[in-house]
Amino acid sequence: MSGDRSFTRGEITGALTFVVLAVAIGISSYRAGLNISGGTGGAGMTASAAPAPVNGQDLYASNCAGCHGAQAQGGVGPGLAETKAWADADFRQAVLHGQAPGGRTLSPVMPRFGDTGLGGEAPTEEQIDAIHAYVKGL
Ligand code: HEC
């Protein structure tokens, strides 16, 4: 019987220890949470809230390489070497609306990314410029 009771006491001690630890952990994570949303933790919040960085290489690989080639050497679509010299605004106009410099309308085979979107979303200027920068570096 006394063995049972001491076992029970042990259980109670264990349970109390667990509760105390749980509360301590709860308080410290609550404090950590307050710190993150406070002044010193601002950088952490900003980083997690900021959109993923724009990656021209990834965007090119998943949206353009299939037609223009992995190295923009050409395939279904022409090689893009000439477009390295284009102004960003001209490049955007071609990619988004199929209008090349000099009023040339590109064949409908070239998608109008302003209509189709990039990865299901309306492309941003930053994304197209990142693709242009990537192509220039090839
Ligand atoms: C379905 C195939 C296809 C895809 C995908 C595609 N293009 Fe094109 N692209 C073409 C074709 C075909 C032309 C040539 C159109 C013409 O000359 O009339 C072209 C032309 C262009 C031109 C004009 C080149 C020049 O010298 O006149 C640019 C710039 C361009 N594409 C960029 C891109 C970019 C950037 C992407 C990805 C965001 C992309 N294209 C995706 C087929 C494609």
Side-chain angles (χ1 to χ4, degrees), residues 10 14 18 25 33 39 72 77 84 128:
F18 177 75
I25 289 167
K84 294 180 184 185
I128 309 298

Side-chain angles (χ1 to χ4, degrees), residues 59-60 62-68 75-83 86 90-92 94-95 98 100-101 104-113 118 128 131-132 135:
L59 287 170
Y60 181 85
S62 47
N63 296 285
C64 322
C67 287
H68 290 284
V76 174
L80 296 178
E82 262 185 50
T83 71
W86 292 9
D90 288 337
F91 190 84
R92 280 200 300 272
V95 176
R104 185 164 51 95
T105 299
L106 299 177
S107 103
V109 179
M110 167 64 192
R112 273 50 173 165
F113 285 93
L118 274 180
I128 309 298
I131 294 173
H132 196 200
V135 167

